Amino acid sequence: MVYNTLLLSAGGGIFSPSQQSNQVQNTANVFIGLGGTGVDCLAKLKKEIHKRLKPDDPTAPIPDYRHIQFLGVDSDIYSERKIDPTDFFNISMNDIKLIFTDKQATDKKPHLNWLRTSELSSLFDLGPIYVCLRHIGRLKFMNKSAEFLEILKSKIQTAKEGLTSAQLNIHIITGIGGATGSGSFLDVCYLVRSLENEPDIGNFTSFAYVFMPDVNLSRQLDNSTINLIKRNGYATLQEIDYCMNLERNKGAFYQEYAGGKQVAWNQDPVEMCHLISATN
């Protein structure tokens, strides 16, 4: 009796196998979540997929969804606890202050040529809150961008395994009010774009889902954090607006990443960018 009242058909939240939908045939999906908001979304999405979609083998004791892969990227250890450790990539840095104090070491890393250490060193005067700045989020990601790309390739290959000429979709999910998502979003998009030239990856479609700053601002926060969220979000939206109109803006430039990989930013970062608000 209790079980019946929990069924979806009765207004509850338990799905019976007969209510689960089949997975789309010959399609691989990879979901990338950036920062705390992105990882939160991955955890929720994975839970819903397991409830609503039939696994690869409905008779298996442990459900498996090989063609749907997840990759969470964050520097916060608490994010790792929200998803499977095999789906998490930690970009934390223990020696981050050394990068600002040792300019010679920074100069030897072309992937950090955008970092103005002399201008940003004063950030440490803000105290622990400086880690909430998008410059810091980008720095952490750029330092491990080569490792990220290799892990992403592995996730894509796993998702496509056993499929023939599969449709590949790559979904990038991020908040833009904090540091990691707002700082790494465009770099992740263009690194994903760069895989179009890899023969073992093939054609794919990339989508972005961007949680607006009001998603973060809907929580109880102190004034300093509120101001940082607004600044991070505004700057990121300006960049997204510009890059999603590169053809009209006639803009383009090259960015070097860890490991010597160079990527041209000469097209839109994704095929579709969807903005998500807390109020609408």
Side-chain angles (χ1 to χ4, degrees):
M1 184 67 178
V2 174
Y3 178 81
N4 289 337
T5 61
L6 291 174
L7 288 173
L8 182 68
S9 58
I14 293 180
F15 284 72
S16 69
S18 63
Q19 292 172 304
Q20 291 181 316
S21 301
N22 292 318
Q23 297 183 46
V24 179
Q25 296 297 307
N26 209 42
T27 301
N29 286 283
V30 177
F31 293 88
I32 305 169
L34 305 177
T37 301
V39 172
D40 283 343
C41 189
L42 285 192
K44 175 68 173 176
L45 182 62
K46 189 172 185 178
K47 182 179 178 181
E48 292 299 315
I49 286 174
H50 284 221
K51 284 198 317 186
R52 298 172 183 270
L53 293 182
K54 293 179 180 178
D56 300 339
D57 181 4
T59 64
I62 300 178
D64 187 30
Y65 298 81
R66 177 173 293 274
H67 307 304
I68 305 175
Q69 295 292 312
F70 301 89
L71 179 58
V73 180
D74 200 8
S75 59
D76 190 340
I77 191 64
Y78 292 104
S79 291
E80 187 174 2
R81 301 173 185 176
K82 300 173 184 177
I83 56 177
D84 193 300
T86 60
D87 296 331
F88 185 76
F89 179 53
N90 190 340
I91 59 170
S92 61
M93 293 175 61
N94 296 325
D95 59 345
I96 191 167
K97 289 189 177 183
L98 293 178
I99 289 182
F100 287 86
T101 57
D102 189 351
K103 189 176 185 304
Q104 288 186 336
T106 305
D107 290 341
K108 295 177 182 178
K109 298 179 178 180
H111 61 279
L112 298 181
N113 59 9
W114 55 274
L115 188 64
R116 302 292 182 263
T117 54
S118 59
E119 298 173 13
L120 298 176
S121 57
S122 61
L123 295 178
F124 297 113
D125 296 336
L126 296 173
I129 200 171
Y130 83 90
V131 298
C132 298
L133 290 162
R134 60 199 302 266
H135 313 83
I136 304 299
R138 190 183 194 208
L139 169 61
K140 291 178 180 179
F141 175 77
M142 294 292 278
N143 203 46
K144 295 187 177 181
S145 56
E147 297 172 59
F148 163 79
L149 205 54
E150 290 306 309
I151 293 174
L152 176 58
K153 289 180 186 178
S154 176
K155 290 286 185 181
I156 292 174
Q157 290 165 357
T158 298
K160 294 180 65 177
E161 188 176 328
L163 302 178
T164 304
S165 301
Q167 167 64 42
L168 173 61
N169 301 314
I170 300 179
H171 310 267
I172 303 165
I173 306 168
T174 187
I176 56 172
T180 304
S182 61
S184 65
F185 172 67
L186 285 172
D187 289 291
V188 169
C189 289
Y190 282 107
L191 280 171
V192 168
R193 280 284 205 192
S194 73
L195 296 178
E196 293 173 337
N197 301 320
E198 306 248 347
D200 55 338
I201 301 297
N203 295 328
F204 59 84
T205 305
S206 58
F207 304 89
Y209 310 89
V210 177
F211 288 88
M212 300 285 279
D214 65 339
V215 173
N216 302 88
L217 293 172
S218 62
R219 298 176 293 178
Q220 292 291 327
L221 301 166
D222 60 78
N223 289 333
S224 297
T225 304
I226 289 173
N227 289 332
L228 283 177
I229 288 173
K230 290 179 178 180
R231 292 178 181 182
N232 287 339
Y234 179 77
T236 307
L237 284 172
Q238 288 277 14
E239 291 179 344
I240 292 173
D241 179 63
Y242 183 85
C243 289
M244 287 298 292
N245 291 280
L246 273 180
E247 184 176 352
R248 185 178 65 188
N249 298 329
K250 296 181 173 56
F253 69 97
Y254 285 84
Q255 176 62 56
E256 185 163 340
Y257 294 90
K261 183 177 181 66
Q262 291 187 336
V263 177
W265 290 30
N266 55 8
Q267 57 183 321
D268 295 351
V270 288
E271 273 81 10
M272 187 278 290
C273 185
H274 183 62
L275 304 181
I276 303 170
S277 168
T279 56
N280 186 349

